[in-house]
Amino acid sequence: MLGFLIRRLLNYLVLCVVATFLSFTLSSIAFDPLSLLRQHNPPPPAATIEAKRVQLHLDQPIPQRFLTWGEGVLRGDFGQTTTDHAITEELGRRAGVSLRLFLLGVTVGILLGVLVGVASAVRQYKFTDYAATFFSYVVLATPVFVLGPLVKQVAQSINTATGSEWLQFTGEGPNDLSQLGWLEGFGERLRYLIVPTVTIALIQIAYYSRYQRSAMLDVLGSDFLRTAQAKGLTRRRAFFKHGLRTALIPMATLFAFGFGLVIVGGVFTESIFNWQGMGQWLIQGINDQDTNITATVTLFVAVCVLVSGWLSDVLYALLDPRIRV
Amino acid sequence: MSGPVTENDTPVLEVTDLAVSFPSEAGTVQAVRGLSYRVGRGEVLGIAGESGSGKSVSSLAVMGLLPPQARITGSIRFQGQQLLGLSDVQLAKIRGRRVAMVFQDPLSALTPVYTVGDQIAEALLVHGKGRISRQAAANRAVELLDLVGIPHAAQRAKAFPHEFSGGMRQRAVIAMAIANDPDLIIADEPTTALDVTVQAQVLEVLKTAQEVTGAGIVIITHDLGVVAGFADRLMVMYAGRAVETGQVAEVYQQPRMPYTLGLLGSLPRLDATEKLPLVPINGQPPSLVDLPEGCPFAPRCPMAVDACLEAEPELSAVDSAGEHHAACVRTAELAATEAAAEEIEGVDASNAAAIEAAVEVFGAEVVQAQARDLAPREQRPTVLRVDELVKHYPLNKGTVFKRRVGTVHAVDGVSFEIREGETLGLVGESGCGKTTTLMEVLGLTPPSGGAIEVLGRDVSTLDKKARRAVRRDMQVVFQDPMASLDPRMPIGDVLAEPMQVHGLDAEHIRKRIPQLLDLVGLRAEHADRYPAEFSGGQRQRIGIARALALEPKLLVLDEPVSALDVSIQAGVINLLDQLKVELGLSYLFVAHDLSVVRHIADRVAVMYLGRIVEIGTVDTVFGNPLHPYTQALLSAIPLPDPVKERQRERIILSGDLPSPADPPSGCRFRTRCFLHTTLPESDRARCVGEQPERVGHGQDHEVACHFARSKQVV
């Protein structure tokens, strides 16, 4: 079991390197960081441009540049931006911002999604099921840049109705909470988190509830559920103890994909709510023609996706004794 | 036992006028209609019938396990208590404690994510809250596993269901059922999904379970052999109703309803010394959505008269004691036919007379296997020769760096030959390698060991074109008629496809399709219909027609009738018999049902763990089996004759088939062999050390056993 997980982890490390290399290569070929410099008026002297070129290692072949950058990454140095800022400094803050948003949204989404899916399967073709199905399809069919503003609108109405400004939907809130107490700090974070989290969670609920519903329906028709009832378990108890537990197994696989999708789609979510997270950074990196930022964000996304993949392997092994070999 | 003291004459279960219906798109399905029966204390009631007869639905109704959309009326009294109308919570207190159930498919009956021991302990804990500790329940679960014959029960209790074989899982389900010492056990086709040798083990366990608990048992089955030996009384169901009930011996000897008679006659018999005709029951069971007035069996009944179509006959007593009931207006005539048959057959305890009557009533005939003038076997050409065939599968581990960790010896030196116009039956338990052998033959690729010769051509010498030509002469019929036809293709296209592939011209194909349909007993206009419009039996006929499209010389039949109901099965077997004679075909017939093989085959090869252990003509192998495995296999098959069945001594093999990845040394059967254990030490060493080769024992009979000896088993 442990060996299996370690082997998986090693496979994932290789994948991380490959993903980052591809992204690094692609952006190195496409970007021309010196163009900004050249557009300066008056044009800088050729020596300045040449110095910048050497500073950005543009005189070296791409694999060489990747190795140099990768070596830095191993030492915890992600390099400089084209505007001479240390990426490492900003990475921590931005990663914190993004993870805070996504982890909460995804966790809430999965838990509620599973519940909605189960309710929908148990009450198949009844009102609950139809309502859940309708909700899911509407949410899945709505692009996030429409859904986000809609949620904002609802939050605005709530604020108006209660006559307060408690719900915030622009930015991630103050960076420095050191002068606030523990509880106030938590409350302050929450004010800014609620609205974007609801947006992400809604999509996650819609997504997971569909799968959970069909997994649960499969299980509801199964023989072992009938055996459990024949033993003397009530219908409800058999559903939850034998049915839900088994129907959760396929969800473990989805978890990896689902989380990956959220991170990738995070670019939109962060822009809508004006969060200074990784997604927004990626856009900035592309605008600045900055290979190091792009590669760093790619590495971050790859690590997140692969960690969630690894987590779903762990979950899978916990849920299903058949693969614990 | 605690609980209220019941009068001795209060039945454990009394079902009165039970009706179950389901809404469906086509209309209301009346699955059970006016069913009444009772089960006494410690009594075993067999319920027999074909699929769709309502036998399972009626038992699920007793358990309260039907889906919520089912409408149930009537009365179900368990020890005097009305079960119908109880809430799920009230029923849950009875289920598993006083009424237990064993289901058909042991592979899916256990929750995959909990250990077997936990699942058995759960049955105890759910009913004994506060009275039994977790530890005590776990210990009791181990005891129960031991009781149902699981070796190393304490260890195995910690295993998950997927680590158990089918037979072991069914034992675990039985352990669960008897955990709370119930008063009634309902077993729904408990052995249908199992191999015969395992079936015999499980039936034995059920008998033990009954002795231990003293429970009444309702055993539901489509196999009249299983009930013959086990049940006290029998109820035959058709179209949602009981059509005949009575003491087992009486129903088998004097069936008073043509349907029961037909069912008995449609079974191929293992104990037949000459080839008896198989009674096919024409037509299909009626749709339960809109049943016609009158007797539902009338459209298929050879004895039907106008009175049968007017009103559905009630179940009424046909003997003076009032124990034997049948729902038929012509029971008196049936009795007369049987009496006449008895005069010919002579009155004895067996049910030969009833079979004779069935043959007469249904007008069945023996399909003459020798209608064509066939030369003696040795002079006929060989159509298929398999010589020392070997097929090993590597067992690999790892995804990136694959390494071989073992070998599955699926087929390990199999030799046989089939001559023109001959049927070879290949039999054995699942996992013995019979399907692998068949796939190797069909593949027409050079085998990993040994040689295959089809119509005199060694397959290893074939190039692509020659292989295609050989394929034309060798066709296959698959097991599952539901899955083997493309649902999006009309039957005409299904039949035309092989001919198009082999480049026959359109005109020929157009003419050939009606011929083919006619050949298998279907009508030419069926060509435009889709597979979904046909029943299982008809689809298998289509499968046979497809195989015959190219006029092959050899048909490979992979369990062609095992998915069909008995009454339908008889018709397909008769068809195969007839086609063989008319078209001069040769068959390689793979089956696990030895009765069917005895009926249809000329020669039989018994396989065990990748090797043939006994081969010869059906009469010698079945009449005088010499290999202990063949003897055990034959002895495990229940006979549909209560008197004979109860007199037989049964050889129960212990355990399951060993893994083909690690076969025992020497004789592969020795680990389960009953003979081996009785041998002196020196002889036993020979079984362990030396693999027995096939040795001739008289005319066309070879046995691979060092100590082959005769034993009466049927």
Tab-separated table of all heavy atoms in Angstrom, chain A residues 76-123:
chain	number	residue	atom	x	y	z
A	76	GLY	N	14.910	26.673	-4.255
A	76	GLY	CA	13.861	27.531	-3.731
A	76	GLY	C	13.881	28.915	-4.348
A	76	GLY	O	13.267	29.849	-3.849
A	77	ASP	N	14.599	29.065	-5.475
A	77	ASP	CA	14.651	30.359	-6.151
A	77	ASP	C	14.009	30.226	-7.528
A	77	ASP	O	14.522	29.511	-8.387
A	77	ASP	CB	16.121	30.807	-6.279
A	77	ASP	CG	16.247	32.086	-7.073
A	77	ASP	OD1	15.198	32.740	-7.317
A	77	ASP	OD2	17.381	32.423	-7.459
A	78	PHE	N	12.872	30.900	-7.698
A	78	PHE	CA	12.143	30.766	-8.957
A	78	PHE	C	12.564	31.807	-9.981
A	78	PHE	O	11.907	32.010	-10.985
A	78	PHE	CB	10.630	30.845	-8.704
A	78	PHE	CG	10.096	29.625	-8.014
A	78	PHE	CD1	10.213	29.459	-6.637
A	78	PHE	CD2	9.493	28.620	-8.744
A	78	PHE	CE1	9.726	28.334	-6.017
A	78	PHE	CE2	9.008	27.493	-8.132
A	78	PHE	CZ	9.116	27.334	-6.763
A	79	GLY	N	13.609	32.517	-9.700
A	79	GLY	CA	14.132	33.472	-10.669
A	79	GLY	C	13.534	34.862	-10.487
A	79	GLY	O	12.835	35.152	-9.517
A	80	GLN	N	13.857	35.732	-11.447
A	80	GLN	CA	13.399	37.113	-11.422
A	80	GLN	C	12.346	37.329	-12.492
A	80	GLN	O	12.343	36.644	-13.511
A	80	GLN	CB	14.593	38.041	-11.723
A	80	GLN	CG	15.785	37.835	-10.820
A	80	GLN	CD	15.571	38.495	-9.482
A	80	GLN	OE1	15.147	39.638	-9.419
A	80	GLN	NE2	15.847	37.797	-8.398
A	81	THR	N	11.473	38.280	-12.246
A	81	THR	CA	10.584	38.684	-13.325
A	81	THR	C	11.371	39.583	-14.262
A	81	THR	O	12.492	39.997	-13.953
A	81	THR	CB	9.378	39.483	-12.787
A	81	THR	OG1	9.868	40.700	-12.230
A	81	THR	CG2	8.643	38.701	-11.723
A	82	THR	N	10.806	39.899	-15.416
A	82	THR	CA	11.494	40.774	-16.359
A	82	THR	C	11.662	42.153	-15.759
A	82	THR	O	12.499	42.930	-16.182
A	82	THR	CB	10.706	40.892	-17.676
A	82	THR	OG1	9.336	41.037	-17.346
A	82	THR	CG2	10.920	39.678	-18.539
A	83	THR	N	10.807	42.453	-14.764
A	83	THR	CA	10.905	43.777	-14.136
A	83	THR	C	11.716	43.710	-12.849
A	83	THR	O	11.559	44.543	-11.950
A	83	THR	CB	9.499	44.324	-13.839
A	83	THR	OG1	8.750	43.278	-13.205
A	83	THR	CG2	8.790	44.740	-15.105
A	84	ASP	N	12.568	42.665	-12.745
A	84	ASP	CA	13.538	42.548	-11.662
A	84	ASP	C	12.955	42.375	-10.263
A	84	ASP	O	13.481	42.869	-9.282
A	84	ASP	CB	14.492	43.754	-11.632
A	84	ASP	CG	15.433	43.725	-12.807
A	84	ASP	OD1	15.596	42.603	-13.356
A	84	ASP	OD2	15.949	44.766	-13.175
A	85	HIS	N	11.818	41.690	-10.181
A	85	HIS	CA	11.307	41.324	-8.863
A	85	HIS	C	11.577	39.842	-8.646
A	85	HIS	O	11.525	39.064	-9.593
A	85	HIS	CB	9.800	41.581	-8.760
A	85	HIS	CG	9.463	43.033	-8.822
A	85	HIS	ND1	9.747	43.922	-7.816
A	85	HIS	CD2	8.871	43.775	-9.817
A	85	HIS	CE1	9.336	45.125	-8.144
A	85	HIS	NE2	8.817	45.069	-9.382
A	86	ALA	N	11.819	39.468	-7.379
A	86	ALA	CA	12.028	38.049	-7.095
A	86	ALA	C	10.671	37.340	-7.108
A	86	ALA	O	9.743	37.759	-6.432
A	86	ALA	CB	12.687	37.869	-5.742
A	87	ILE	N	10.592	36.298	-7.928
A	87	ILE	CA	9.327	35.574	-8.048
A	87	ILE	C	9.003	34.874	-6.740
A	87	ILE	O	7.851	34.846	-6.299
A	87	ILE	CB	9.414	34.568	-9.211
A	87	ILE	CG1	9.416	35.339	-10.538
A	87	ILE	CG2	8.261	33.584	-9.169
A	87	ILE	CD1	9.404	34.499	-11.753
A	88	THR	N	10.034	34.328	-6.106
A	88	THR	CA	9.820	33.552	-4.893
A	88	THR	C	9.047	34.345	-3.839
A	88	THR	O	8.156	33.821	-3.179
A	88	THR	CB	11.176	33.103	-4.323
A	88	THR	OG1	11.982	32.639	-5.395
A	88	THR	CG2	10.992	32.012	-3.305
A	89	GLU	N	9.369	35.631	-3.723
A	89	GLU	CA	8.700	36.463	-2.721
A	89	GLU	C	7.199	36.524	-2.958
A	89	GLU	O	6.386	36.423	-2.041
A	89	GLU	CB	9.254	37.883	-2.754
A	89	GLU	CG	10.464	38.074	-1.883
A	89	GLU	CD	11.085	39.443	-2.113
A	89	GLU	OE1	10.345	40.389	-2.480
A	89	GLU	OE2	12.316	39.545	-1.966
A	90	GLU	N	6.845	36.690	-4.226
A	90	GLU	CA	5.441	36.875	-4.531
A	90	GLU	C	4.680	35.548	-4.555
A	90	GLU	O	3.482	35.499	-4.280
A	90	GLU	CB	5.307	37.565	-5.884
A	90	GLU	CG	3.937	38.178	-6.040
A	90	GLU	CD	3.916	39.298	-7.081
A	90	GLU	OE1	5.012	39.692	-7.530
A	90	GLU	OE2	2.823	39.748	-7.406
A	91	LEU	N	5.428	34.462	-4.898
A	91	LEU	CA	4.789	33.150	-5.052
A	91	LEU	C	4.017	32.754	-3.796
A	91	LEU	O	2.857	32.355	-3.858
A	91	LEU	CB	5.857	32.094	-5.369
A	91	LEU	CG	5.341	30.662	-5.497
A	91	LEU	CD1	4.424	30.528	-6.701
A	91	LEU	CD2	6.490	29.676	-5.627
A	92	GLY	N	4.674	32.897	-2.640
A	92	GLY	CA	4.048	32.459	-1.397
A	92	GLY	C	2.720	33.154	-1.171
A	92	GLY	O	1.706	32.514	-0.908
A	93	ARG	N	2.716	34.478	-1.326
A	93	ARG	CA	1.495	35.234	-1.064
A	93	ARG	C	0.384	34.831	-2.033
A	93	ARG	O	-0.742	34.536	-1.646
A	93	ARG	CB	1.780	36.731	-1.196
A	93	ARG	CG	0.612	37.604	-0.764
A	93	ARG	CD	0.854	39.052	-1.104
A	93	ARG	NE	0.951	39.288	-2.545
A	93	ARG	CZ	-0.105	39.347	-3.354
A	93	ARG	NH1	-1.317	39.168	-2.868
A	93	ARG	NH2	0.047	39.576	-4.640
A	94	ARG	N	0.765	34.768	-3.328
A	94	ARG	CA	-0.240	34.469	-4.349
A	94	ARG	C	-0.781	33.052	-4.208
A	94	ARG	O	-1.986	32.816	-4.350
A	94	ARG	CB	0.357	34.662	-5.740
A	94	ARG	CG	0.531	36.121	-6.093
A	94	ARG	CD	0.695	36.276	-7.583
A	94	ARG	NE	0.899	37.660	-7.967
A	94	ARG	CZ	-0.066	38.390	-8.541
A	94	ARG	NH1	-1.247	37.860	-8.783
A	94	ARG	NH2	0.176	39.632	-8.875
A	95	ALA	N	0.136	32.104	-3.939
A	95	ALA	CA	-0.316	30.723	-3.776
A	95	ALA	C	-1.293	30.635	-2.606
A	95	ALA	O	-2.336	29.978	-2.683
A	95	ALA	CB	0.862	29.786	-3.534
A	96	GLY	N	-0.972	31.376	-1.518
A	96	GLY	CA	-1.868	31.386	-0.362
A	96	GLY	C	-3.240	31.892	-0.743
A	96	GLY	O	-4.260	31.288	-0.392
A	97	VAL	N	-3.266	32.971	-1.482
A	97	VAL	CA	-4.545	33.559	-1.898
A	97	VAL	C	-5.365	32.563	-2.707
A	97	VAL	O	-6.543	32.313	-2.437
A	97	VAL	CB	-4.280	34.847	-2.725
A	97	VAL	CG1	-5.550	35.312	-3.396
A	97	VAL	CG2	-3.719	35.937	-1.820
A	98	SER	N	-4.709	31.941	-3.716
A	98	SER	CA	-5.438	31.018	-4.601
A	98	SER	C	-5.907	29.785	-3.847
A	98	SER	O	-7.059	29.374	-3.979
A	98	SER	CB	-4.550	30.583	-5.762
A	98	SER	OG	-4.463	31.628	-6.695
A	99	LEU	N	-4.997	29.208	-3.059
A	99	LEU	CA	-5.348	27.959	-2.378
A	99	LEU	C	-6.488	28.177	-1.386
A	99	LEU	O	-7.390	27.349	-1.277
A	99	LEU	CB	-4.121	27.382	-1.656
A	99	LEU	CG	-3.101	26.751	-2.593
A	99	LEU	CD1	-1.896	26.251	-1.806
A	99	LEU	CD2	-3.729	25.598	-3.371
A	100	ARG	N	-6.444	29.335	-0.688
A	100	ARG	CA	-7.490	29.660	0.272
A	100	ARG	C	-8.850	29.613	-0.427
A	100	ARG	O	-9.801	29.011	0.040
A	100	ARG	CB	-7.226	31.069	0.809
A	100	ARG	CG	-7.993	31.418	2.050
A	100	ARG	CD	-7.966	32.916	2.258
A	100	ARG	NE	-6.624	33.480	2.263
A	100	ARG	CZ	-6.367	34.760	1.945
A	100	ARG	NH1	-7.353	35.582	1.606
A	100	ARG	NH2	-5.141	35.210	1.967
A	101	LEU	N	-8.886	30.222	-1.585
A	101	LEU	CA	-10.135	30.294	-2.338
A	101	LEU	C	-10.561	28.915	-2.851
A	101	LEU	O	-11.686	28.468	-2.641
A	101	LEU	CB	-9.942	31.265	-3.506
A	101	LEU	CG	-11.125	31.454	-4.435
A	101	LEU	CD1	-12.304	32.026	-3.669
A	101	LEU	CD2	-10.751	32.415	-5.556
A	102	PHE	N	-9.617	28.223	-3.529
A	102	PHE	CA	-10.001	26.994	-4.219
A	102	PHE	C	-10.261	25.846	-3.261
A	102	PHE	O	-11.208	25.087	-3.440
A	102	PHE	CB	-8.924	26.589	-5.234
A	102	PHE	CG	-8.762	27.597	-6.317
A	102	PHE	CD1	-7.520	27.969	-6.785
A	102	PHE	CD2	-9.892	28.184	-6.879
A	102	PHE	CE1	-7.385	28.903	-7.784
A	102	PHE	CE2	-9.775	29.130	-7.883
A	102	PHE	CZ	-8.513	29.491	-8.333
A	103	LEU	N	-9.404	25.708	-2.250
A	103	LEU	CA	-9.578	24.580	-1.341
A	103	LEU	C	-10.932	24.656	-0.644
A	103	LEU	O	-11.661	23.670	-0.584
A	103	LEU	CB	-8.451	24.539	-0.303
A	103	LEU	CG	-7.135	24.002	-0.837
A	103	LEU	CD1	-6.081	23.995	0.273
A	103	LEU	CD2	-7.316	22.592	-1.401
A	104	LEU	N	-11.279	25.845	-0.174
A	104	LEU	CA	-12.558	25.991	0.504
A	104	LEU	C	-13.719	25.716	-0.459
A	104	LEU	O	-14.635	24.951	-0.148
A	104	LEU	CB	-12.672	27.407	1.095
A	104	LEU	CG	-13.879	27.596	2.005
A	104	LEU	CD1	-13.751	26.713	3.231
A	104	LEU	CD2	-14.005	29.059	2.431
A	105	GLY	N	-13.618	26.326	-1.646
A	105	GLY	CA	-14.695	26.143	-2.632
A	105	GLY	C	-14.871	24.696	-3.001
A	105	GLY	O	-15.999	24.170	-3.051
A	106	VAL	N	-13.754	24.008	-3.234
A	106	VAL	CA	-13.835	22.615	-3.674
A	106	VAL	C	-14.337	21.719	-2.541
A	106	VAL	O	-15.187	20.852	-2.757
A	106	VAL	CB	-12.454	22.150	-4.187
A	106	VAL	CG1	-12.412	20.648	-4.335
A	106	VAL	CG2	-12.145	22.804	-5.515
A	107	THR	N	-13.840	21.949	-1.327
A	107	THR	CA	-14.270	21.105	-0.213
A	107	THR	C	-15.779	21.236	0.021
A	107	THR	O	-16.508	20.240	0.094
A	107	THR	CB	-13.510	21.499	1.073
A	107	THR	OG1	-12.134	21.595	0.749
A	107	THR	CG2	-13.716	20.483	2.150
A	108	VAL	N	-16.222	22.495	0.099
A	108	VAL	CA	-17.663	22.706	0.283
A	108	VAL	C	-18.433	22.093	-0.875
A	108	VAL	O	-19.460	21.425	-0.693
A	108	VAL	CB	-17.963	24.228	0.386
A	108	VAL	CG1	-19.456	24.483	0.338
A	108	VAL	CG2	-17.356	24.788	1.653
A	109	GLY	N	-17.901	22.283	-2.095
A	109	GLY	CA	-18.583	21.777	-3.287
A	109	GLY	C	-18.709	20.270	-3.281
A	109	GLY	O	-19.762	19.724	-3.591
A	110	ILE	N	-17.630	19.568	-2.917
A	110	ILE	CA	-17.676	18.103	-2.933
A	110	ILE	C	-18.670	17.589	-1.894
A	110	ILE	O	-19.525	16.762	-2.195
A	110	ILE	CB	-16.282	17.511	-2.654
A	110	ILE	CG1	-15.388	17.705	-3.866
A	110	ILE	CG2	-16.376	16.031	-2.327
A	110	ILE	CD1	-13.969	17.260	-3.660
A	111	LEU	N	-18.570	18.143	-0.679
A	111	LEU	CA	-19.450	17.650	0.382
A	111	LEU	C	-20.915	17.851	0.009
A	111	LEU	O	-21.721	16.913	0.057
A	111	LEU	CB	-19.129	18.360	1.700
A	111	LEU	CG	-17.770	18.005	2.301
A	111	LEU	CD1	-17.547	18.758	3.599
A	111	LEU	CD2	-17.675	16.499	2.537
A	112	LEU	N	-21.257	19.076	-0.410
A	112	LEU	CA	-22.643	19.334	-0.759
A	112	LEU	C	-23.040	18.589	-2.033
A	112	LEU	O	-24.157	18.083	-2.148
A	112	LEU	CB	-22.874	20.841	-0.937
A	112	LEU	CG	-22.807	21.639	0.368
A	112	LEU	CD1	-23.034	23.115	0.092
A	112	LEU	CD2	-23.859	21.136	1.351
A	113	GLY	N	-22.086	18.496	-2.982
A	113	GLY	CA	-22.385	17.798	-4.237
A	113	GLY	C	-22.756	16.347	-3.982
A	113	GLY	O	-23.718	15.829	-4.543
A	114	VAL	N	-21.998	15.678	-3.102
A	114	VAL	CA	-22.288	14.285	-2.771
A	114	VAL	C	-23.674	14.182	-2.125
A	114	VAL	O	-24.495	13.346	-2.501
A	114	VAL	CB	-21.192	13.712	-1.846
A	114	VAL	CG1	-21.644	12.405	-1.217
A	114	VAL	CG2	-19.904	13.502	-2.622
A	115	LEU	N	-23.957	15.101	-1.199
A	115	LEU	CA	-25.267	15.074	-0.530
A	115	LEU	C	-26.408	15.269	-1.521
A	115	LEU	O	-27.395	14.530	-1.515
A	115	LEU	CB	-25.326	16.169	0.534
A	115	LEU	CG	-24.622	15.844	1.846
A	115	LEU	CD1	-24.809	16.972	2.835
A	115	LEU	CD2	-25.190	14.547	2.418
A	116	VAL	N	-26.255	16.281	-2.390
A	116	VAL	CA	-27.307	16.547	-3.373
A	116	VAL	C	-27.486	15.334	-4.286
A	116	VAL	O	-28.609	14.915	-4.575
A	116	VAL	CB	-26.969	17.815	-4.200
A	116	VAL	CG1	-27.930	17.973	-5.365
A	116	VAL	CG2	-27.004	19.047	-3.317
A	117	GLY	N	-26.363	14.743	-4.707
A	117	GLY	CA	-26.432	13.577	-5.591
A	117	GLY	C	-27.146	12.417	-4.925
A	117	GLY	O	-27.986	11.760	-5.538
A	118	VAL	N	-26.825	12.165	-3.664
A	118	VAL	CA	-27.465	11.071	-2.938
A	118	VAL	C	-28.965	11.330	-2.800
A	118	VAL	O	-29.791	10.464	-3.095
A	118	VAL	CB	-26.815	10.885	-1.548
A	118	VAL	CG1	-27.646	9.945	-0.694
A	118	VAL	CG2	-25.408	10.353	-1.701
A	119	ALA	N	-29.318	12.552	-2.404
A	119	ALA	CA	-30.728	12.894	-2.234
A	119	ALA	C	-31.464	12.685	-3.541
A	119	ALA	O	-32.574	12.132	-3.589
A	119	ALA	CB	-30.848	14.347	-1.780
A	120	SER	N	-30.819	13.090	-4.616
A	120	SER	CA	-31.437	13.005	-5.922
A	120	SER	C	-31.631	11.546	-6.339
A	120	SER	O	-32.643	11.190	-6.938
A	120	SER	CB	-30.456	13.718	-6.802
A	120	SER	OG	-30.731	14.006	-7.985
A	121	ALA	N	-30.665	10.676	-5.989
A	121	ALA	CA	-30.786	9.264	-6.364
A	121	ALA	C	-31.843	8.575	-5.506
A	121	ALA	O	-32.657	7.803	-6.007
A	121	ALA	CB	-29.443	8.561	-6.197
A	122	VAL	N	-31.825	8.857	-4.212
A	122	VAL	CA	-32.774	8.187	-3.318
A	122	VAL	C	-34.199	8.615	-3.649
A	122	VAL	O	-35.130	7.827	-3.564
A	122	VAL	CB	-32.415	8.503	-1.851
A	122	VAL	CG1	-33.466	7.961	-0.911
A	122	VAL	CG2	-31.066	7.881	-1.514
A	123	ARG	N	-34.375	9.857	-4.035
A	123	ARG	CA	-35.716	10.324	-4.385
A	123	ARG	C	-35.822	10.467	-5.895
A	123	ARG	O	-36.277	11.480	-6.416
A	123	ARG	CB	-36.017	11.640	-3.680
A	123	ARG	CG	-35.556	11.644	-2.236
A	123	ARG	CD	-36.398	12.436	-1.276
A	123	ARG	NE	-37.769	12.670	-1.597
A	123	ARG	CZ	-38.783	11.928	-1.123
A	123	ARG	NH1	-38.543	10.906	-0.360
A	123	ARG	NH2	-40.013	12.241	-1.428
